[in-house]
Amino acid sequence: MSQVRVPADSGYVATPEELAYEARAAENALFTASRLMIGCFAFAFAALAFAYFYLRSANSYDLWRPHSVTAPVGTGTAVMAFTAAATVLLLFGLRQLRRKDVLAFDVAGWVAVLSGLLALGLQCWELTDLPFAPATGGYTSVFIGWAVMNIIMLVSGIYWAETLLARRARLRKAITEEGGAVRGVPSGIFRLNVDSCVYFWGFIAFVAVFFWIFFYIAG
Amino acid sequence: MSEHAGTSGRPGAGASTSSVAAGTARPLQDIWRIVGIWVALSIVGDLVFWFVAGPHVPPGDMTSSASGAQFDFNVLFMVALPVILAVWTYMGYAVIMWRASRPGAPEPIGGPRARSNLKVQLWWIVVTTVVVLSMFVFGTVELIVPAGAGGAEGPNPIWTPASKNVLPIQVIAQQWQFTYRYPTFGGMETSTLIVPDNTTIAFHVTSLDVIHSFWAYQLGVKIDANPGIDDVGYTTTNQLGKFTVRCNELCGIWHGAMYDYGKVVSKAQFQKWGTSTARATAANTKYLPPFAWTYSPTANGATGVTAANTSGQAPFSKIQTYGATTKAKKVVKNVQTSTTTITTGST
Amino acid sequence: MTLDVAPPSQMGSTGDTLPPGGVVHRRPWWMGQHMGTGLLLGIGGYALGHYLGNTIAGGYTHVGTAGENDVAIVLALLLGVVGWLAGVGALNYPLAKLAGREPVAQPDTQHWTRFFRFSVEHKTVGMQYLIAVLVFLFTGGLLAMSIRTELLSPTSHIIGPGTYISIVGEHGTVMMMMASSLVVGPLGNWLIPIMIGSRRMAFPRVEAFSFWLFSAGYFVILTALPLGGFPTGWTGYAPLQTQATVGMDSYLVGFSVIGLGMILAGFNLLVTIINYRAPGMTWSRIPVFAWSILATSALLALATPTLAVACMFGILDRTVGTAFYVNAHGGSSYLWENLFWFFGHPEVYIMALPGFGIVGEMLPVFTRKPLFAYRVAAAGMIGVALLSFFVWQHHLFQSGINPDMRPLFMLTTELISIPTGFIFLVGLGTLYKAKIRFEVPMLFALAMYFNFLIGGVTGVFVSDVPVDVTVHGSFFVLAHFHYTIMGGLVFAFFGGVYYWMPKLTGKMMNKTLGKVHFWMMFVFFNLTFFPMFLIGLLGQPRRVFEYAQGLQTLNDFSSVSAFCLGASFLVFVVNFVWSIFIAPQEAPLNPWGSLGLEWQTATPVPQHNFERIPVVLTDPYHYSEPGASPVADLAPTSFAEFAAVGAGGGGPIARGEP
């Protein structure tokens, strides 16, 4: 990395009042941002849902779903289940974090990341092993679009959760190594970050269940 | 400092604390001048437009939809011109009379009086809303009453012409030409569009490859040609003459060269032309895919499998016979194995 | 929880404190990561992606694309973008974060080379954006010149239909990408934190990332030309899109990349305006420019994902052979039209709203009057932004989809002229009995009203379905949207550049050259585009290289005016180079006598904008009001000063949730 480390206090000193003000602004920003991020993803998935329902109702040349092709239900259900499990685990972790049970948070978090990775891996694997050609019809096209978007969303969610857990792990190490003098993140913002991440995972789980129903169950 | 901050900065809240009107004894003198200039300009402008330019506004009056479009354009212009003139007059007056370098220009007034004026704001909103809503009502009436006003109405038109004797003509767009198919003459194909006078025509526009748009300029007809879609639009001819057909939706490199010319001829001439052309092209017509509302290259051309008129109804007589029910829906089963995306088909 | 320890000074992104005694080693300017390494890695990524694509899908042929390998091109472009981002250093922190690392501070340099590096300082990013949008604008402008050259003659050709159609598409796409970031990118990023009294952006790294995506998009979209161009114009209609050769991949990848950049830019600005307002900067005090950027950012953040998804579907159609847009395989060509315009119409207002904000900011300064009906202005912008999500099908009036819905979309489209009219009420009200000073920015502001009026009123013609039958897809529409985007936004943007340049660079732009620029641009803009209304009414569709012989006079008139319009930008470039580099003239601290918060700071603006976070006391429009309070207390002893009037920045957390 080429960036150069410099002392950060370049030219201004913040008063305690300003620090508090900016800390609160940062918390608010995190809150707004996580909700807005869900909004961005929601519009993206709304486009997917529109494609699904539009092609289904248009059914051009009777090719929405010829021969009633279906993606592998078992794999799809597993992807959905692992996604939901990751969300539940993160939710549990957040609850434990609020109760200051940091160890439980760590364990639940890492298991959730693992679960998410399993969902991601299965979703990728499913793509390599589809029982239909992409151009078979509308359903198959939208299914592949969904798989790609699900991969993108899972990667975002896993990345967010993983970075939080990694930061947690590093901070604990730093605490022991540097005798507590750790620069960085106040607890409030960290907890809020976890909270937002879990909120986002709730959205992921909702989307996963929604499209699971329409691709595998009620298609 | 802070007590001031509490009361100011709230536009709209300061009407009761208005300061004394500065300057002239007649505070609205400027406004009346502007209104005077505006009314004069608007009346002159509108009259000149309506009587001098109006009758020549494209697309002319060759068909019902063309003269409808001309009338609508003129009416909209009659409304738009005063709106434009109002803003221009006001701005022109402001630029001349209220410029800082004008000798004797009064100092502007600040404070709540200049920040908002509830009455002005309300009037502005009411007037713009009324204008906009009347435009909407006018536009909707002008769309529905003349059966879609020559625009695209999709495969199942809901606003149809009163006439029961509608001549269907199919327009098949492909890169980069239009082909016209006359179901009333045994499904013959021509490369020029000939239509009879004093007739209500239903254009059935479809495409073989990409999206095109059928724009018969002087006829006031514009209908997008979508692959696999039978897009219908209506017009009624009422004048003899020539017209231009252009592709109006970008369809590839020769889009600009995708045009031809058509003719409105008398009914008798049309009948004569149709019969003789049908006879002359009968040998070709035999090899064409059966007449259908849409064609897919795979289904109708390349593989020889047809998506023909499976309902068994003759597609060429009165409008009712080809309404919503006879869409070419049942198509081939053998396309899903194909990995091709698009190929240019032939009719 | 024992995580909170050291004082959270500058926590977050611009730079964390380091352990005392941390080593600072500066490198010479040519080392480290910058645009050069970005280009290198970008080219490397392109080559790698191309190789991978050919390996993966070597035997993969497409009838429609004559055997050209779309997989290779798409992968090449995507990896090229990743390489560019990695090369400039945009990925360093996101990757280090996986190991739980905190951000590393940027070199605190004012050296000019900072403009070529990944900088998280919002003023630097703003300047980077400024140069980038000008490069976009002039690229698109040159392409426009070649279009007008080809249209000099109805039948004889200078560049030929293939090149012509590529250039038309390239012009449209480059200009749309440019226009959606034209104001938000440079002026939004540079000015918004200062205008709302913040020392920083909410997410400076996201902001910087958006810029480097934006610049990557420029290269991606330019690769379309060597790859053979794309025949679809900027609207990219499928199935022409599916059928097109590999140049189309540049369009799809380029639009996705820029789209992602637009989402991130809007995201960051929206969060910043909501949360980083200084104490006392209540919603009724933020400048109208901030309102316009707020509305624009919401559109950027929410409408653009639809475009990204639509582009992804297109890429899938072209590479893995799905059939989203292919009717004969169970897809629908209407799907692209719907998704594209669901983004495309908010996009149109992304390209109008910031212009309203800029003129709203300048009018009070040059009339010495308060902004008339501030709330109406804000309501107008928010109203336009909301309504813009409900009008997209007016682009499909002649497509045959949902014909029975046309009256509804005619209604929503025409309703949008009500909140747009608010902007005119504000302008006209502010001009009433004013003291107008015809400085260069004011000329641009008045011209914006002049042009946008024509653009807006002709919009009503286009929205009226019966009239639209004739004008749809013709030069009439082309003239209409050039009047709104160029006549509105671009004029406002140049006004903004003249207006804020003294703040941005500390130098005054030359006034005489500025007036020459303005009058040339204003006169020739109108002479170029007004005839196009007639050309369209007389039957010339858009994007054609051949037209009726009878229209040559009008077209030639338009072309010659267009060349002069192009020349006016040269005047601007000369003015820019002359006033900033060759004969710089130091600007006074507040040359226009503005009350805006941004003009109360020092020039050049210090690294962290404000020595103390200011306490805002009133909105910045108290002109001609003797005894009005200053706009803000720049050295507050305590934030309690604003307590009486309520805190700005009070988001949900401040109210005690969650």
Side-chain angles (χ1 to χ4, degrees):
Chain A
M1 273 194 287
S2 66
Q3 279 153 325
V4 185
R5 296 186 155 222
V6 291
D9 54 337
S10 46
Y12 83 101
V13 186
T15 64
E17 200 179 24
E18 287 174 345
L19 286 177
Y21 194 81
E22 289 205 330
R24 203 185 62 183
E27 288 177 13
N28 286 334
L30 198 52
F31 182 92
T32 317
S34 60
R35 272 65 178 173
L36 185 59
M37 186 172 158
I38 290 174
C40 299
F41 270 95
F43 269 83
F45 279 100
L48 180 75
F50 177 80
Y52 180 96
F53 291 109
Y54 185 74
L55 293 186
R56 186 171 159 168
S57 64
N59 193 16
S60 57
Y61 291 90
D62 263 347
L63 284 174
W64 159 248
R65 208 168 169 181
H67 321 305
S68 301
V69 289
T70 306
V73 181
T75 324
T77 310
V79 171
M80 187 275 295
F82 279 121
T83 311
T87 311
V88 171
L89 280 165
L90 282 170
L91 205 60
F92 170 76
L94 175 67
R95 216 188 75 187
Q96 294 310 106
L97 187 67
R98 286 211 180 111
R99 296 174 178 182
K100 315 235 167 187
D101 184 355
V102 181
L103 183 69
F105 165 72
D106 280 349
V107 174
W110 285 111
V111 177
V113 167
L114 193 69
S115 179
L117 284 172
L118 275 171
L120 182 63
L122 277 173
Q123 180 70 79
C124 294
W125 180 72
E126 187 188 26
L127 263 187
T128 64
D129 193 29
L130 286 174
F132 49 72
T136 309
Y139 169 88
T140 59
S141 302
V142 184
F143 178 82
I144 287 172
W146 148 249
V148 173
M149 287 176 71
N150 194 27
I151 288 169
I152 293 171
M153 185 173 61
L154 281 172
V155 166
S156 326
I158 294 170
Y159 176 81
W160 192 349
E162 201 279 342
T163 50
L164 283 173
L165 290 158
R167 173 183 274 175
R168 245 293 299 156
R170 194 192 58 83
L171 280 181
R172 189 168 50 186
K173 206 167 127 214
I175 287 166
T176 47
E177 279 176 4
E178 298 177 21
V182 184
R183 69 204 157 87
V185 192
S187 63
I189 216 168
F190 182 81
R191 202 156 51 237
L192 188 71
N193 210 334
V194 176
D195 184 87
S196 304
C197 177
V198 174
Y199 206 83
F200 181 62
W201 268 93
F203 172 76
I204 295 179
F206 169 77
V207 171
V209 172
F210 180 88
F211 283 102
W212 174 73
I213 291 172
F214 280 101
F215 277 113
Y216 298 102
I217 305 302
Chain B
M1 199 192 262
S2 53
E3 70 271 22
H4 185 95
T7 54
S8 65
R10 301 215 181 286
S16 58
T17 61
S18 62
S19 55
V20 187
T24 55
R26 284 175 296 164
L28 290 181
Q29 191 187 21
D30 293 303
I31 293 296
W32 288 120
R33 276 188 201 151
I34 291 168
V35 168
I37 300 171
W38 169 62
V39 168
L41 283 178
S42 299
I43 291 174
V44 173
D46 269 359
L47 287 177
V48 166
F49 174 79
W50 187 262
F51 290 106
V52 178
H56 308 294
V57 162
D61 47 8
M62 205 173 208
T63 62
S64 60
S65 54
S67 48
Q70 186 190 58
F71 173 72
D72 297 345
F73 186 93
N74 291 355
V75 170
L76 288 190
F77 198 92
M78 297 281 281
V79 179
L81 189 65
V83 172
I84 291 183
L85 286 175
V87 177
W88 281 358
T89 312
Y90 185 97
M91 282 179 68
Y93 189 89
V95 162
I96 293 165
M97 301 299 285
W98 297 326
R99 63 186 197 275
S101 54
R102 185 169 158 265
E107 280 297 308
I109 310 153
R113 250 177 79 81
R115 294 179 151 260
S116 65
N117 183 324
L118 200 58
K119 230 159 87 182
V120 171
Q121 287 161 229
L122 279 180
W123 270 109
W124 181 276
I125 293 171
V126 168
V127 169
T128 51
T129 309
V130 167
V131 170
V132 161
L133 289 182
S134 12
M135 296 274 211
F136 159 69
V137 172
F138 174 72
T140 307
V141 170
E142 284 292 307
L143 170 70
I144 293 176
V145 173
E153 293 223 75
N156 308 308
I158 47 169
W159 301 311
T160 49
S163 166
K164 292 296 175 213
N165 279 309
V166 177
L167 174 76
I169 296 176
Q170 187 171 49
V171 180
I172 304 166
Q174 76 193 79
Q175 289 166 324
W176 288 273
Q177 66 178 51
F178 290 106
T179 309
Y180 308 97
R181 217 167 171 187
Y182 291 80
T184 40
F185 292 103
M188 70 167 183
E189 276 191 4
T190 65
S191 55
T192 38
L193 179 58
I194 307 289
V195 295
D197 192 16
N198 283 319
T199 310
T200 302
I201 302 163
F203 289 107
H204 290 255
V205 183
T206 188
S207 166
L208 298 183
D209 36 47
V210 302
I211 299 176
H212 303 265
S213 188
F214 167 70
W215 184 15
Y217 171 64
Q218 286 88 341
L219 301 189
V221 172
K222 185 175 287 165
I223 303 157
D224 274 10
N226 303 279
I229 309 278
D230 170 33
D231 202 357
V232 186
Y234 302 97
T235 193
T236 304
T237 50
N238 51 27
Q239 242 181 49
L240 301 176
K242 282 183 76 175
F243 57 87
T244 314
V245 175
R246 286 214 75 152
C247 178
N248 192 57
E249 186 58 67
L250 184 52
C251 56
I253 64 169
W254 294 103
H255 163 62
M258 189 166 163
Y259 59 87
D260 53 55
Y261 301 99
K263 245 196 296 197
V264 182
V265 298
S266 72
K267 274 184 177 173
Q269 273 176 306
F270 177 74
Q271 202 60 36
K272 210 174 121 205
W273 167 84
T275 323
S276 65
T277 315
R279 201 181 311 117
T281 57
N284 294 340
T285 311
K286 191 166 65 178
Y287 292 106
L288 294 177
F291 186 88
W293 296 120
T294 62
Y295 303 89
S296 134
T298 327
N300 300 78
T303 61
V305 186
T306 65
N309 184 19
T310 47
S311 66
Q313 280 175 299
F316 33 81
S317 52
K318 302 250 162 91
I319 183 167
Q320 291 89 343
T321 44
Y322 54 94
T325 52
T326 60
K327 293 280 113 8
K329 268 202 165 173
K330 302 288 170 285
V331 209
V332 282
K333 297 288 185 204
N334 65 339
V335 277
Q336 82 249 9
T337 51
S338 164
T339 54
T340 60
T341 48
I342 299 284
T343 49
T344 306
S346 60
T347 46
Chain C
M1 181 98 186
T2 55
L3 291 178
D4 44 334
V5 266
S9 67
Q10 307 151 23
M11 118 232 68
S13 309
T14 33
D16 282 6
T17 50
L18 284 152
V23 183
V24 181
H25 54 286
R26 288 188 182 280
R27 289 176 180 165
W29 61 269
W30 45 270
M31 281 184 71
Q33 287 173 295
H34 45 76
M35 252 174 87
T37 50
L39 267 179
L40 265 175
L41 279 191
I43 293 167
Y46 186 92
L48 177 68
H50 203 273
Y51 170 77
L52 281 178
N54 277 323
T55 313
I56 297 168
Y60 191 98
T61 52
H62 244 240
V63 173
T65 56
E68 285 162 315
N69 194 335
D70 289 300
V71 178
I73 299 296
V74 166
L75 275 183
L77 292 171
L78 286 175
L79 287 190
V81 171
V82 172
W84 166 259
L85 291 173
V88 296
L91 300 181
N92 292 353
Y93 174 62
L95 291 178
K97 204 176 174 187
L98 279 173
R101 302 215 170 275
E102 301 301 325
V104 178
Q106 285 284 309
D108 173 24
T109 172
Q110 287 301 304
H111 197 257
W112 59 271
T113 52
R114 74 184 186 280
F115 295 119
F116 297 93
R117 293 175 193 276
F118 184 79
S119 169
V120 295
E121 209 264 329
H122 73 87
K123 297 185 283 296
T124 308
V125 178
M127 287 309 279
Q128 288 174 327
Y129 255 119
L130 181 63
I131 301 305
V133 293
L134 288 176
V135 169
F136 263 75
L137 178 66
F138 296 144
T139 310
L142 285 175
L143 293 165
M145 297 294 106
S146 35
I147 293 173
R148 287 317 314 177
T149 311
E150 165 65 30
L151 290 180
L152 277 170
S153 159
T155 45
S156 44
H157 304 304
I158 293 153
I159 46 181
T163 318
Y164 176 76
I165 212 71
S166 312
I167 286 176
V168 167
E170 196 77 15
H171 162 75
T173 315
V174 165
M175 284 302 204
M176 286 296 162
M177 290 171 169
M178 174 280 295
S180 38
S181 295
L182 182 64
V183 172
V184 171
L187 299 176
N189 281 321
W190 210 101
L191 290 165
I192 282 297
I194 306 177
M195 279 187 163
I196 62 170
S198 168
R199 280 175 170 161
R200 49 168 295 182
M201 279 286 187
F203 299 105
R205 203 160 274 103
V206 168
E207 178 200 22
F209 204 81
S210 82
F211 168 74
W212 291 101
L213 280 171
F214 180 71
S215 49
Y218 179 74
F219 294 111
V220 173
I221 198 65
L222 278 194
T223 58
L225 287 178
L227 288 176
F230 51 93
T232 60
W234 87 279
T235 47
Y237 271 17
L240 184 58
Q241 179 199 85
T242 326
Q243 178 202 54
T245 51
V246 288
M248 200 73 223
D249 296 324
S250 306
Y251 166 89
L252 291 168
V253 175
F255 235 146
S256 314
V257 165
I258 293 240
L260 188 58
M262 284 156 63
I263 296 170
L264 295 178
F267 180 87
N268 170 50
L269 277 164
L270 190 60
V271 175
T272 304
I273 296 176
I274 292 175
N275 295 298
Y276 276 87
R277 283 168 292 129
M281 182 62 90
T282 57
W283 285 115
S284 56
R285 289 181 189 165
I286 65 172
V288 279
F289 181 66
W291 273 113
S292 73
I293 295 293
L294 184 83
T296 310
S297 303
L299 294 180
L300 282 170
L302 297 180
T304 320
T306 317
L307 171 77
V309 169
C311 285
M312 188 200 75
F313 290 167
I315 292 171
L316 287 178
D317 270 10
R318 295 175 55 81
T319 54
V320 307
T322 54
F324 283 99
Y325 305 135
V326 187
N327 290 55
H329 287 232
S332 172
S333 54
Y334 286 141
L335 181 61
W336 168 270
E337 289 181 274
N338 272 293
L339 291 179
F340 181 81
W341 286 117
F342 187 79
F343 148 79
H345 207 82
E347 161 81 357
V348 169
Y349 288 97
I350 288 169
M351 298 181 292
L353 288 169
F356 300 163
I358 291 178
V359 295
E361 213 54 39
M362 294 189 308
L363 281 180
V365 177
F366 295 104
T367 56
R368 311 316 291 167
K369 282 191 68 200
L371 188 73
F372 183 74
Y374 169 95
R375 287 186 176 190
V376 173
M381 289 174 194
I382 300 297
V384 167
L386 285 178
L387 271 176
S388 71
F389 280 109
F390 301 97
V391 299
W392 80 96
Q393 281 216 346
H394 65 214
H395 297 272
L396 310 181
F397 273 163
Q398 308 310 339
S399 75
I401 189 176
N402 296 349
D404 45 337
M405 297 288 271
R406 284 177 296 172
L408 174 70
F409 283 97
M410 183 170 14
L411 174 65
T412 53
T413 307
E414 290 177 0
L415 280 183
I416 246 185
S417 53
I418 298 174
T420 315
F422 289 3
I423 308 302
F424 278 87
L425 170 68
V426 170
L428 301 186
T430 310
L431 286 176
Y432 185 62
K433 291 191 178 177
K435 192 177 177 184
I436 303 171
R437 294 183 294 164
F438 294 104
E439 300 287 351
V440 180
M442 184 60 176
L443 292 174
F444 277 101
L446 292 173
M448 182 271 180
Y449 274 108
F450 182 92
N451 298 333
F452 199 88
L453 180 67
I454 299 177
V457 166
T458 52
V460 177
F461 285 75
V462 180
S463 75
D464 184 272
V465 185
V467 173
D468 187 58
V469 170
T470 291
V471 297
H472 185 93
S474 73
F475 262 55
F476 189 91
V477 171
L478 188 142
H480 154 69
F481 71 75
H482 278 85
Y483 259 95
T484 55
I485 299 171
M486 181 153 184
L489 185 77
V490 176
F491 270 78
F493 166 75
F494 277 109
V497 166
Y498 280 99
Y499 178 69
W500 278 299
M501 197 53 94
K503 193 78 232 172
L504 266 58
T505 61
K507 313 283 189 298
M508 288 301 278
M509 297 279 276
N510 184 297
K511 193 172 164 178
T512 313
L513 281 173
K515 288 201 168 172
V516 172
H517 170 208
F518 168 76
W519 282 110
M520 277 182 77
M521 188 167 155
F522 179 67
V523 169
F524 289 116
F525 165 78
N526 278 288
L527 291 184
T528 303
F529 290 103
F530 200 84
M532 290 192 192
F533 286 119
L534 298 175
I535 294 173
L537 272 178
L538 290 170
Q540 184 169 331
R542 288 167 68 185
R543 300 150 163 174
V544 293
F545 61 93
E546 287 190 347
Y547 54 87
Q549 300 277 1
L551 293 178
Q552 185 171 11
T553 316
L554 278 171
N555 271 298
D556 285 359
F557 184 81
S558 182
S559 287
V560 172
S561 308
F563 300 141
C564 299
L565 177 62
S568 76
F569 291 104
L570 289 180
V571 179
F572 171 78
V573 172
V574 168
N575 192 355
F576 189 84
V577 174
W578 177 263
S579 309
I580 307 299
F581 300 109
I582 296 174
Q585 186 199 345
E586 287 303 316
L589 202 54
N590 189 352
W592 319 112
S594 167
L595 294 178
L597 187 54
E598 77 273 21
W599 293 102
Q600 317 304 319
T601 56
T603 302
V605 178
Q607 179 95 359
H608 289 278
N609 299 351
F610 298 98
E611 283 298 313
R612 293 265 82 82
I613 294 181
V615 167
V616 178
L617 304 169
T618 174
D619 67 284
Y621 303 116
H622 284 272
Y623 295 94
S624 300
E625 197 178 315
S629 108
V631 69
D633 187 351
L634 290 170
T637 47
S638 153
F639 287 174
E641 278 183 40
F642 76 93
V645 288
I653 308 290
R655 296 195 303 266
E657 14 161 330

